[in-house]
Amino acid sequence: MQIRWQLRQVMASREIWKGADLIRLLQERAGFEISSASMSALLNHQPSQVKWETLQALCTALSCTPNELFGVDAPGPTST
């Protein structure tokens, strides 16, 4: 099973195209501060971990659930 980070897809579905716009939304809607470097990492890489407060802020700012931010690829059939 593979877990996918879908932040860009969630942003696009809400017509948010730039990290700077999401940083602003995080500040306005969730009172959450994040650096440009941290935002870039979230946008450009599959994170190995996400802090609880970051996840909550993203969900608040984007009006989404964690289920929307993470996708799961079911494993294919295995040969025996």
Side-chain angles (χ1 to χ4, degrees):
M1 174 182 337
Q2 289 287 351
I3 298 174
R4 286 178 280 109
W5 180 237
Q6 302 182 137
L7 178 58
R8 281 197 178 272
Q9 293 89 330
V10 173
M11 289 172 59
S13 72
R14 287 147 177 82
E15 297 189 7
I16 301 166
W17 307 110
K18 298 177 185 175
D21 295 333
L22 182 54
I23 288 172
R24 184 182 44 77
L25 281 177
L26 285 164
Q27 291 170 341
E28 290 174 1
R29 295 182 181 173
F32 185 78
E33 298 283 330
I34 189 169
S35 69
S36 296
S38 293
M39 178 55 64
S40 178
L42 286 174
L43 290 172
N44 296 310
H45 306 287
Q46 173 95 359
S48 59
Q49 62 184 3
V50 180
K51 289 184 179 180
W52 185 253
E53 68 178 16
T54 304
L55 183 60
Q56 286 183 307
L58 287 168
C59 290
T60 298
L62 294 168
S63 299
C64 69
T65 67
N67 287 343
E68 292 174 82
L69 291 171
F70 296 96
V72 177
D73 294 329
T78 58
S79 51
T80 55

